[in-house]
Amino acid sequence: MNEELGTGVWEERWHPLREEWIIVAAHRQDRPWSVETVPHEQQVLPPYVADCYLCPGNSRISGLVNPPYQGAYVFDNDHPCVGLNAPTDLPKPTGIYHNRPAHGIARVVCYTPRHDLALAQLTTTEVENLLATWQCQYKELGQRAEINHVLVFENKGEVVGVSNPHPHCQIYATNFVFKTIETEAAVSARHLAETGRPIFQEIIEAEQRDQTRIICENESAVAFLPYFARYAYEVFVAPKQTRTSIVEMNDAEVQDFAAVLRETLIRFDNLWQMPFPYVMTLHQAPTDAQDHRGFHFHIEIHPPLRKPNLLKYLAGPEIGGGNFLSDTSPEQKVMELRAQPAQHYTANPQPE
Ligand SMILES: [Zn+2]
Ligand SMILES: [Zn+2]
């Protein structure tokens, strides 16, 4: 080991799903940080807020009133970015440019009537019920002829622009396939054709052989901080068997997946004893009637923070060049998550 470099990793790692290089430059720990201060989100929230548009019984901007729902509650987004009623009479652009109607369906899924809880604080049964809701949504929206992809995602925390802490995610069911999924689908199909195996199976196999980056697992589900992580605390959660979407998972697999997802999110919150901000996205096969047998459903969680008050800046390499520069090594960051207890820090201690 080169003394000057210490124990940090300094290399480029190949991202097999995105087919791009990640520069891992974790040998520069003493380098001065270019920092962004992130305000701590430690305020205590009430279980119900009268002017929250997601709490049960409240009216929304559209004038519609939320029912006194239990469990998860789905409704059409009152400010949709894509809609079936989007304008069709569009101005024709010049030359090489072209456009089309922003057709799609945008929905909101409230995880729970409780304003003050995060996904990590729901019971395993409640997380299972949320997965069942996601299954229904993917099935219902995906089978519509005009919908080619169903993107389910949660933005969590003020640093990713969420002003309302009521736990919820969004669904964008669109007439196009989002770029990352399009790339993953193409890579997965090619790999299956060339090798006869889903590429994600090989990723799981490599992580299981190595063992060092696995956060938690059970019989049919696994969470790991991948070898090729672009963000310091990036985590993938996946079923061990290839399922092209959440719909293909049976009840036992849903239970296992819920347990591993929940434990991962608890470990995130425990890390700094604060609600851990992230962007969480379900990566599922497109619903464009193509053959996606090689696509392996997984959830990707991208936390924007490197430290409690340090934001990962996207700058020249990422925005300008399109490849990520990581200042941390996945093998070191995962140790922090592995060291956390599997019970949420806000939970009451078990009675003796
Ligand atoms: Zn609320
Ligand atoms: Zn993915």
Side-chain angles (χ1 to χ4, degrees):
M1 172 81 52
N2 184 326
E3 283 297 314
E4 262 181 34
L5 300 182
T7 53
V9 179
W10 188 13
E11 64 189 22
E12 292 174 359
R13 294 188 177 187
W14 181 247
H15 194 312
L17 291 172
R18 299 176 62 90
E19 300 203 306
E20 65 191 29
W21 291 105
I22 318 297
I23 307 170
V24 184
H27 61 299
R28 309 179 297 172
Q29 285 94 342
D30 296 330
R31 194 173 69 97
W33 297 100
S34 47
V35 302
E36 162 110 341
T37 303
V38 173
H40 265 265
E41 305 172 56
Q42 292 287 34
Q43 76 269 36
V44 177
L45 298 167
Y48 168 81
V49 172
D51 63 354
C52 169
Y53 66 96
L54 300 174
C55 276
N58 293 356
S59 55
R60 305 199 305 270
I61 190 83
S62 58
L64 295 170
V65 177
N66 296 330
Y69 65 92
Q70 310 283 321
Y73 168 58
V74 185
F75 63 91
D76 284 340
N77 197 318
D78 298 316
H79 296 289
C81 67
V82 288
L84 295 177
N85 56 353
T88 51
D89 186 19
L90 302 171
K92 193 170 163 39
T94 314
I96 195 174
Y97 301 145
H98 63 287
N99 56 0
R100 63 179 184 181
H103 276 162
I105 299 169
R107 288 183 175 164
V108 176
V109 183
C110 297
Y111 293 164
T112 164
R114 285 279 299 268
H115 186 86
D116 57 331
L117 297 181
L119 182 50
Q121 292 167 286
L122 301 188
T123 65
T124 310
T125 307
E126 288 171 320
V127 178
E128 287 168 16
N129 290 338
L130 174 62
L131 295 180
T133 302
W134 286 343
Q135 286 180 316
C136 291
Q137 290 298 313
Y138 179 87
K139 203 170 185 176
E140 181 208 322
L141 295 166
Q143 70 192 9
R144 300 180 72 129
E146 68 272 36
I147 299 301
N148 288 323
H149 183 244
V150 180
L151 187 77
V152 180
F153 64 95
E154 178 188 356
N155 300 329
K156 178 166 176 277
E158 286 174 18
V159 296
V160 294
V162 181
S163 49
N164 189 341
H166 194 121
H168 68 285
C169 70
Q170 299 187 62
I171 301 174
Y172 287 179
T174 48
N175 55 359
F176 69 93
V177 181
F178 271 82
K179 189 69 191 175
T180 300
I181 308 301
E182 184 180 61
T183 302
E184 288 189 0
V187 168
S188 300
R190 201 188 62 229
H191 193 87
L192 184 70
E194 286 173 1
T195 69
R197 290 194 74 192
I199 189 169
F200 209 95
Q201 285 289 347
E202 307 217 33
I203 292 171
I204 290 176
E205 191 179 290
E207 294 295 343
Q208 284 186 316
R209 251 191 234 156
D210 193 302
Q211 281 291 316
T212 56
R213 289 174 302 271
I214 290 179
I215 295 159
C216 52
E217 66 180 314
N218 53 29
E219 193 179 328
S220 72
V222 60
F224 56 94
L225 199 159
Y227 171 78
F228 48 81
R230 294 179 300 154
Y231 290 82
Y233 296 99
E234 177 173 333
V235 171
F236 281 29
V237 183
K240 291 178 181 174
Q241 295 298 315
T242 295
R243 308 286 179 237
T244 64
S245 76
I246 195 169
V247 173
E248 286 188 0
M249 286 165 57
N250 63 37
D251 290 350
E253 289 170 335
V254 166
Q255 283 175 12
D256 279 356
F257 192 93
V260 168
L261 175 63
R262 180 172 175 271
E263 183 175 333
T264 300
L265 297 176
I266 287 172
R267 285 167 185 267
F268 275 145
D269 278 6
N270 286 345
L271 186 61
W272 299 321
Q273 306 249 315
M274 62 177 260
F276 197 78
Y278 57 73
V279 172
M280 177 176 83
T281 315
L282 277 66
H283 285 195
Q284 309 193 73
T287 56
D288 55 0
Q290 303 298 307
D291 180 359
H292 292 296
R293 273 174 296 176
F295 197 99
H296 188 118
F297 160 64
H298 56 285
I299 284 182
E300 295 191 13
I301 305 168
H302 295 111
L305 297 184
R306 301 191 298 189
K307 291 185 178 180
N309 57 354
L310 275 183
L311 200 56
K312 160 71 178 169
Y313 267 123
L314 301 187
E318 296 87 4
I319 294 175
N323 286 64
F324 265 62
L325 169 60
S326 172
D327 280 303
T328 53
S329 93
E331 292 73 32
Q332 288 194 330
K333 288 287 128 181
V334 75
M335 284 196 285
E336 298 173 24
L337 294 173
R338 284 164 65 120
Q340 298 308 315
Q343 190 187 26
H344 199 272
Y345 72 93
T346 61
N348 295 322
Q350 298 294 326
E352 308 238 337

